Amino acid sequence: MNGELVDAATATVPALDRGLLSGYGLFETMRAYGRKPWAFDDHYARLLTGGELIALDVPAGPAIRDAITQALSANELDDAGVRLTITGGAGPPDVQADPDSPPNVIVIVWPLHDYSDLYEHGAKLATLPQGARPLADVKTTSYAVSVAGRVFARRAGADDAVFLGGHKRVLEATGSNLFIASGEALRTPPLDDAILPGVTRRYVMDVARDLGYAITEEHVYVDDLLAADEVVLTSSLREVYPAASIDGQPLNRSGVADRLREAYSALVRRTLGA
């Protein structure tokens, strides 16, 4: 935290931190392989875009990368989850801006969860008809809508929630992008439809094209999920995985998620030299 190694259970931020009081901050979630954060440059570029959008200074990339490597090494974690958070720092308790307040930079690392059950059985989804997150194209710490969506999903007996736009238009899950597979074609909601430009989404589109899939970025509707050969979700931590159901209705499975995950994993290994 701010360049020092501290125990996550005892680390503190000031009570007047604007990330805590107002959700004024940015974050990125990454996955490390062999103590190397995958696609760091892509995550950092999105962080810079968010900084410009909300007028928040983002520290230099090499310093952040070094902090991640230090945290992974100190915790002896090779394959791990990585959460980088940058808050607006301490300020007055109202919405007054304090441009001289230094940001708080927090890096948290943890052992990866075993996702084998998710890969095998798929995720149960519930629809969330409250629309997209605010500033959906970047990751601000104002994530109450996504957290509430996950709580709603669990109460409904599901694993995750899917945001809907008008006319039952599917946007994204609370922490994942979404594709539908039909034959040798994949369709995913367009970026201008209030969704996050996911890093894993982009790389999965690349490997899918290499496998011969035709990719289109067009609106997706709930009925399309039910008719698809498979519904595929992508995220930095969970990589590529299938959906099992939507609002209790079973979804088809065809093995596309498994093929894409294998190709994606191969890309990661080649790129990082693992």
Side-chain angles (χ1 to χ4, degrees):
M1 180 172 177
N2 295 329
E4 296 184 8
L5 286 169
V6 295
D7 191 311
T10 58
T12 60
V13 295
L16 292 176
D17 185 275
R18 288 179 291 171
L20 173 65
L21 296 180
S22 307
Y24 183 54
L26 299 166
F27 78 97
E28 287 288 329
T29 302
M30 295 165 254
R31 181 164 169 168
Y33 302 79
R35 298 194 184 180
K36 298 176 182 177
W38 161 248
F40 174 82
D41 290 343
D42 300 272
H43 285 282
Y44 184 71
R46 188 168 62 190
L47 200 66
L48 290 176
T49 298
E52 293 176 359
L53 187 63
I54 68 171
L56 178 65
D57 289 336
V58 174
I64 292 177
R65 188 194 290 268
D66 289 347
I68 293 172
T69 301
Q70 184 182 13
L72 291 168
S73 297
N75 288 276
E76 298 182 347
L77 291 174
D78 294 325
D79 298 335
V82 178
R83 158 87 184 220
L84 165 66
T85 305
I86 302 173
T87 78
D94 54 16
V95 293
Q96 294 290 332
D98 183 0
D100 297 323
S101 178
N104 282 309
V105 181
I106 305 165
V107 174
I108 304 171
V109 298
W110 64 93
L112 278 176
H113 179 74
D114 181 2
Y115 295 114
S116 56
D117 186 70
L118 179 67
Y119 296 154
E120 180 180 356
H121 299 291
K124 294 180 287 185
L125 305 176
T127 54
L128 190 68
Q130 64 186 56
R133 293 182 295 106
L135 302 176
D137 53 343
V138 296
K139 285 193 165 185
T140 74
T141 52
S142 301
Y143 239 57
V145 173
S146 291
V147 174
R150 190 68 65 90
V151 172
F152 170 85
R154 295 296 167 82
R155 289 176 177 173
D159 302 307
D160 201 354
V162 173
F163 295 114
L164 298 184
H167 307 289
K168 293 187 177 182
R169 193 174 74 256
V170 175
L171 303 178
E172 60 185 352
T174 62
S176 304
N177 290 115
L178 181 144
F179 294 79
I180 59 171
S182 299
E184 298 301 310
L186 290 171
R187 177 154 47 114
T188 186
L191 293 181
D192 61 5
D193 210 6
I195 69 168
L196 182 76
V199 172
T200 306
R201 172 188 184 271
R202 183 169 70 80
Y203 282 107
V204 166
M205 291 172 72
D206 289 343
V207 299
R209 291 189 184 96
D210 291 341
L211 292 173
Y213 288 95
I215 310 289
T216 56
E217 296 182 72
E218 299 176 352
H219 294 320
V220 174
Y221 299 88
V222 172
D223 287 345
D224 295 328
L225 305 189
L226 296 169
D229 294 341
E230 186 158 77
V231 175
V232 179
L233 297 149
T234 62
S235 82
S236 291
L237 294 180
R238 295 177 291 278
E239 299 185 322
V240 189
Y241 59 101
S245 63
I246 184 79
D247 291 335
Q249 299 182 75
L251 296 172
N252 296 321
R253 299 283 300 277
S254 65
V256 173
D258 293 338
R259 291 194 289 275
L260 292 174
R261 186 173 63 257
E262 291 173 3
Y264 175 79
S265 296
L267 171 66
V268 173
R269 291 194 299 271
R270 288 196 309 270
T271 304
L272 294 180

